[in-house]
Amino acid sequence: MFKAFLTSCFLGAFLIFSQAPWHYLFLIFLIFPLLFITIDSKIKNKEKFRRFYRLVILLGGFLYFYYLFGFSWIISAFEYKQELEAFKYVTLFGLPLLMVLFTLPSFLFPTLFWDNKISKCISLAACLSFGEYLRSNILTGFSWNIFSHSLLFNENIMQIFSITGQYLASFLLILSTQFILFFGSKKNLFYSLILMSIIPLIFVFGYYKIDKNKFVEGKRIAIIQPNISQDDKIYKKDLFETISNLTELSRHENIDLTIWPESALPILLEQNKETINLIVKNISAGSQLLVGNITYRDNSFRNSALLINNKSDIKNIYNKVHLVPFGEFIPFKNFLSKIPFIKIISGDIGFEKGQDIELVDTSVGKSRVAICYEIIFPEEINPYNKDLDLIINITNDAWFGQSSGPYQHLNIARIRAIEQGVPILRSANTGISALIDPYGRVIEKIDLNKRGSIVSLLPKKIKKTIYSIIGDYLFFGVLILSLLILFISKRRN
């Protein structure tokens, strides 16, 4: 059992190389069959309690080390405050454990239906994909490094997100990797061919779906990446130098909308009309400005995005709805805020979350503004299924340095573009800023730790995608169908 546990942990650790920035997809087709064989050798013909107990050890170990190495970039954020040094390791080792705990209910699939080989394959795929849904939605959720994110290695294959979203895509991906298990038997050849055909069929779908970019005439945007280090943002706070940096990058001809990143300025713009006037005078004439900024109202601070017109009027304010736990607010505040250690970590104030997700009517169209990691939650992009023209993602990934985090954050934004069929304008303080088309392709980007701007016509959105209409209902439909198949197969056995 110990050797099987070590094998599972080893497989989970190596699976992270299927994600950005590496994209070694072939690892998935090696690791999941090996995981299947490892689990099967220890739980087949076992009664249900012992089967679940062994799954917790083997599958839990696999997921723990996948999360441990996949989320390791997070600890970079704690290096900017000495008092957080201890909490860095609590997060590094504790967050993966919490994610595993969230996925435990999904272990019931293989616990109850580990019968014949095809049932085992379906139950493992259902377990892992439903587990991803659970850990992305329980409490505040953390929808990062979903298995299917590895499909972004190919522009045609990644179009499947427009139908399935990320969870059903994970189900199909994991199922497809099991084809090799059916080799060597004429009886099982049919199953092998079916599973083997999943990825090629997805490729063909994407090949015929994808099209050349079309742009909206007369709607020009500018995406700004000032590349201000986190040390400078925390300790230097030179307002004039920061404004000069941003405005210098924002002087372009005939721009309709200029986008600055999250927390772009160390000042409350809403209370400083003179600063707004100075900014508007020094950027493109006639351009609106969407800028990330802290706002203060009703004795509460909020992480916000301000839309300012060319007359220096604030036309709209979007307040971030999905806050980062312990970074922007304390969960279960009435209880946890009494713990001295938690107060040191989170401070005494924190942010108040926004009340609702509303589209922002900009000069280039109706936009969903997603601040920082709000972009990782697919169900929160357009929850009321309104007529959406574009998504604007502003973020400050300077916290995460040269790690894999900024690359994975960019990839998640690309998936949201595919799911909704709209372009994404992404402004990141130190990178990676990008102009992303409705097919998830990066038209232009500014590399990590580079300073610059992207100027372009706005890419046209495409017709509504299936996923943008029905969301994850298709995923749950497939899970229910899988359950029916598993029940029928179990009764036959």
Side-chain angles (χ1 to χ4, degrees):
M1 188 67 181
F2 183 66
K3 287 182 179 179
F5 171 71
L6 288 180
T7 301
S8 297
C9 296
F10 177 83
L11 293 173
F14 264 81
L15 185 60
I16 192 57
F17 290 106
S18 66
Q19 300 288 349
W22 307 282
H23 283 304
Y24 297 146
L25 185 71
F26 73 91
L27 287 174
I28 284 184
F29 288 87
L30 293 174
I31 287 173
F32 280 118
L34 288 173
L35 177 67
F36 177 98
I37 293 168
T38 303
I39 291 173
D40 186 53
S41 68
K42 297 301 177 183
I43 72 169
K44 65 181 178 181
N45 303 322
K46 295 288 188 289
E47 53 91 14
K48 289 180 176 57
F49 177 78
R50 290 189 67 190
R51 189 180 290 175
F52 183 79
Y53 162 74
R54 293 188 172 208
L55 280 167
V56 170
I57 294 173
L58 298 176
L59 203 52
F62 170 81
L63 291 173
Y64 181 85
F65 277 86
Y66 176 66
Y67 300 148
L68 177 66
F69 287 94
F71 301 158
S72 61
W73 52 268
I74 291 176
I75 64 173
S76 302
F78 299 104
E79 294 175 1
Y80 296 97
K81 288 188 178 182
Q82 192 173 1
E83 64 269 24
L84 300 182
E85 186 70 20
F87 190 67
K88 175 168 71 173
Y89 297 103
V90 173
T91 302
L92 176 63
F93 297 106
L95 179 60
L97 179 60
L98 188 63
M99 294 294 104
V100 171
L101 292 175
F102 289 166
T103 66
L104 287 181
S106 69
F107 289 14
L108 290 174
F109 278 99
T111 298
L112 298 174
F113 301 108
W114 202 261
D115 301 312
N116 57 54
K117 188 172 285 187
I118 192 64
S119 293
K120 293 173 182 178
C121 290
I122 293 173
S123 64
L124 182 62
C127 165
L128 291 171
S129 56
F130 184 53
E132 292 195 316
Y133 178 84
L134 291 175
R135 59 109 166 173
S136 299
N137 289 275
I138 293 178
L139 298 181
T140 64
F142 192 50
S143 186
W144 199 281
N145 281 345
I146 302 300
F147 297 127
S148 60
H149 290 182
S150 60
L151 293 176
L152 269 77
F153 84 104
N154 182 272
E155 291 179 351
N156 294 314
I157 291 176
M158 68 187 188
Q159 301 309 312
I160 193 62
F161 291 111
S162 66
I163 297 176
T164 63
Q166 59 185 13
Y167 307 116
L168 180 51
S170 285
F171 176 87
L172 295 174
L173 174 61
I174 296 165
L175 201 58
S176 71
T177 64
Q178 309 299 317
F179 75 89
I180 196 170
L181 300 172
F182 294 91
F183 276 0
S185 169
K186 289 185 179 180
K187 179 183 176 182
N188 292 325
L189 184 61
F190 173 74
Y191 294 124
S192 181
L193 292 174
I194 291 294
L195 298 181
M196 193 189 302
S197 67
I198 292 175
I199 296 298
L201 287 174
I202 290 173
F203 178 88
V204 172
F205 162 76
Y207 178 81
Y208 284 102
K209 177 182 185 295
I210 209 163
D211 199 359
K212 291 181 179 180
N213 278 313
K214 297 175 182 177
F215 296 88
V216 182
E217 289 297 329
K219 292 187 177 181
R220 283 169 57 84
I221 55 91
I223 300 168
I224 309 304
Q225 181 170 306
N227 193 34
I228 302 169
S229 72
Q230 197 60 29
D231 284 325
D232 285 347
K233 287 181 76 71
I234 293 173
Y235 303 114
K236 197 172 181 181
K237 295 184 179 179
D238 188 323
L239 177 61
F240 181 75
E241 183 180 328
T242 301
I243 291 174
S244 297
N245 181 8
L246 286 159
T247 55
E248 182 184 330
L249 291 168
S250 305
R251 296 186 190 116
H252 303 279
E253 295 294 328
N254 303 319
I255 298 297
D256 297 286
L257 178 65
T258 302
I259 302 167
W260 289 2
E262 177 189 20
S263 302
L265 297 167
I267 189 174
L268 301 180
L269 281 177
E270 195 179 16
Q271 300 177 13
N272 287 272
K273 184 71 171 180
E274 296 82 4
T275 304
I276 294 178
N277 289 332
L278 175 65
I279 291 169
V280 170
K281 287 178 182 177
N282 285 278
I283 65 172
S284 304
S287 173
Q288 285 187 339
L289 173 66
L290 186 100
V291 53
N293 195 238
I294 306 302
T295 55
Y296 182 76
R297 286 186 182 181
D298 303 323
N299 297 317
S300 297
F301 289 97
R302 293 172 177 82
N303 190 354
S304 307
L306 279 57
L307 183 66
I308 302 169
N309 68 11
N310 59 354
K311 296 179 181 178
S312 301
D313 299 321
I314 298 175
K315 300 298 292 181
N316 206 324
I317 298 177
Y318 168 75
N319 299 313
K320 186 177 181 181
V321 173
H322 202 133
L323 301 177
V324 180
F326 298 106
E328 295 177 319
F329 81 108
I330 307 175
F332 311 111
K333 187 174 182 179
N334 292 336
F335 171 71
L336 291 179
S337 62
K338 297 175 184 178
I339 302 173
F341 179 59
I342 297 297
K343 288 191 72 174
I344 291 171
I345 292 165
S346 300
D348 295 318
I349 301 175
F351 288 117
E352 187 75 19
K353 74 172 188 174
Q355 293 301 308
D356 203 1
I357 296 171
E358 294 288 345
L359 301 186
V360 175
D361 196 0
T362 72
S363 54
V364 297
K366 295 184 183 299
S367 172
R368 164 62 162 110
V369 176
I371 300 176
C372 191
Y373 97 144
E374 283 187 314
I375 198 71
I376 76 174
F377 301 101
E379 64 279 354
E380 296 179 10
I381 295 299
N382 192 11
Y384 307 117
N385 203 16
K386 294 182 178 180
D387 188 22
L388 182 65
D389 296 311
L390 68 152
I391 298 169
I392 298 174
N393 178 211
I394 58 173
T395 186
N396 175 28
D397 287 353
W399 293 101
F400 310 120
Q402 296 275 9
S403 68
S404 60
Y407 297 94
Q408 293 162 2
H409 204 181
L410 171 66
N411 266 8
I412 294 170
R414 294 172 65 195
I415 294 171
R416 299 294 91 84
I418 300 168
E419 289 170 346
Q420 297 295 326
V422 300
I424 290 187
L425 317 181
R426 187 171 198 268
S427 174
N429 173 31
T430 56
I432 304 168
S433 299
L435 176 62
I436 303 169
D437 76 3
Y439 300 102
R441 297 174 297 192
V442 176
I443 299 174
E444 190 175 347
K445 69 177 180 177
I446 306 171
D447 289 333
L448 198 60
N449 297 323
K450 301 290 183 182
R451 179 175 176 270
S453 58
I454 297 170
V455 177
S456 172
L457 290 171
L458 178 71
K460 275 186 180 180
K461 66 178 181 180
I462 58 177
K463 66 179 182 180
K464 274 185 171 289
T465 64
I466 292 174
Y467 182 82
S468 70
I469 297 170
I470 65 174
D472 288 313
Y473 286 114
L474 184 59
F475 169 60
F476 287 108
V478 170
L479 281 185
I480 292 169
L481 179 61
S482 298
L483 275 172
L484 290 174
I485 293 170
L486 292 170
F487 270 117
I488 293 169
S489 177
K490 192 172 185 68
R491 290 194 65 180
R492 284 181 176 177
N493 286 335

